[in-house]
Amino acid sequence: MDLLVNKAKEMLIQEKYTCVIINNKNIYTSRDRGVKPLLDWYGTVNLKGASAADKVVGKAAAFLYVLLKVKEVYAGVISEPAYKVLLDYNINVTYDKKVKAIQNRDKTGFCPMETAVWNINNPNNAYNAIIETRKKLMNK
């Protein structure tokens, strides 16, 4: 594991962040849940080659990490499809726990974002599905 991803992981755990990304001398942190921080950073900051630590990485987050062009990801919990996406795009990945799929917050089924991209294999198509799902969830 790279020194920067170790630092990101340490910050994630000690400061109780949901996501930490370190790129060069910049550190981006968030306590927002789900894919929100990744969507906020996409297109606004250059994270190419960055190291990320994330509490939970489902397939939707994995595709966003691909689009953000990070080089490595540590996940507290990662889904099997997310793990495969990261490996397919040559992103180094370490994790504490791998699960079949990310559960929703009520623990009554899959996370809506995981479900939205379950059968998608292209990062741009996944991004569009994530945006559409987010709009639907916000209108509930």
Side-chain angles (χ1 to χ4, degrees):
M1 209 175 350
D2 186 278
L3 287 174
L4 288 181
V5 82
N6 271 337
K7 183 176 179 180
K9 177 184 176 182
E10 198 174 285
M11 289 178 68
L12 180 87
I13 294 164
Q14 289 179 352
E15 305 293 328
K16 296 191 178 6
Y17 289 116
T18 54
C19 185
V20 177
I21 299 182
I22 302 176
N23 194 26
N24 301 324
K25 292 186 171 73
N26 298 317
I27 299 175
Y28 303 92
T29 61
S30 180
R31 289 191 173 92
D32 289 329
R33 295 175 77 167
V35 296
K36 185 184 184 313
L38 303 180
L39 288 172
D40 290 347
W41 294 326
Y42 183 61
T44 61
V45 292
N46 178 4
L47 295 173
K48 185 176 182 180
S51 299
D54 201 319
K55 214 171 142 185
V56 178
V57 177
K59 191 174 181 183
F63 275 126
L64 291 171
Y65 281 120
V66 169
L67 292 169
L68 288 165
K69 296 180 170 53
V70 303
K71 71 173 180 179
E72 61 187 339
V73 174
Y74 155 79
V77 176
I78 193 167
S79 71
E80 290 174 4
Y83 182 75
K84 182 177 181 338
V85 166
L86 294 173
L87 290 184
D88 286 350
Y89 286 88
N90 299 312
I91 295 173
N92 294 328
V93 58
T94 54
Y95 59 87
D96 291 335
K97 183 179 180 184
K98 192 184 334 175
V99 296
K100 187 173 182 73
I102 303 302
Q103 288 190 322
N104 63 20
R105 292 179 187 160
D106 301 332
K107 308 249 187 282
T108 56
F110 289 167
C111 161
M113 291 297 177
E114 185 97 335
T115 302
V117 299
W118 192 259
N119 293 314
I120 295 176
N121 294 310
N122 173 290
N124 293 312
N125 294 346
Y127 178 80
N128 293 334
I130 292 163
I131 295 302
E132 284 304 308
T133 302
R134 187 177 186 196
K135 283 179 190 170
K136 287 177 194 166
L137 291 172
M138 292 177 103
N139 289 333
K140 276 189 174 177

